[in-house]
Amino acid sequence: MPEEPEQETLTIGGREIAVSNPAKILFPGAGYTKLDLVRYYIAVSEGALRAAGGRPNVLVRYPNGRS
């Protein structure tokens, strides 16, 4: 039977958010993981959203890590 993918659930703003593959290394040089990036976004979210001023944004995905 296939193993369930690793996942961590965080509660953010009263909602449960599942982070798949939290230990995946996204920035090999620094050793930062997907969960590190999520936690960084949470830490800066208030100021970042205020600065965005309702303007649209783009998220660039690196499914195999940043090259």
Side-chain angles (χ1 to χ4, degrees):
M1 179 178 274
E3 190 176 316
E4 289 283 324
E6 186 181 345
Q7 170 174 305
E8 183 153 339
T9 303
L10 302 174
T11 302
I12 305 166
R15 295 181 183 215
E16 286 192 353
I17 306 298
V19 179
S20 62
N21 303 312
K24 182 177 185 177
I25 301 292
L26 296 181
F27 299 93
Y32 293 128
T33 65
K34 188 174 183 182
L35 187 57
D36 291 329
L37 185 61
V38 169
R39 288 184 173 146
Y40 171 76
Y41 285 152
I42 292 167
V44 301
S45 63
E46 186 178 334
L49 291 171
R50 188 176 342 105
R55 294 183 297 273
N57 292 278
V58 175
L59 175 65
V60 178
R61 295 186 66 232
Y62 297 96
N64 297 314
R66 184 174 167 264
S67 300

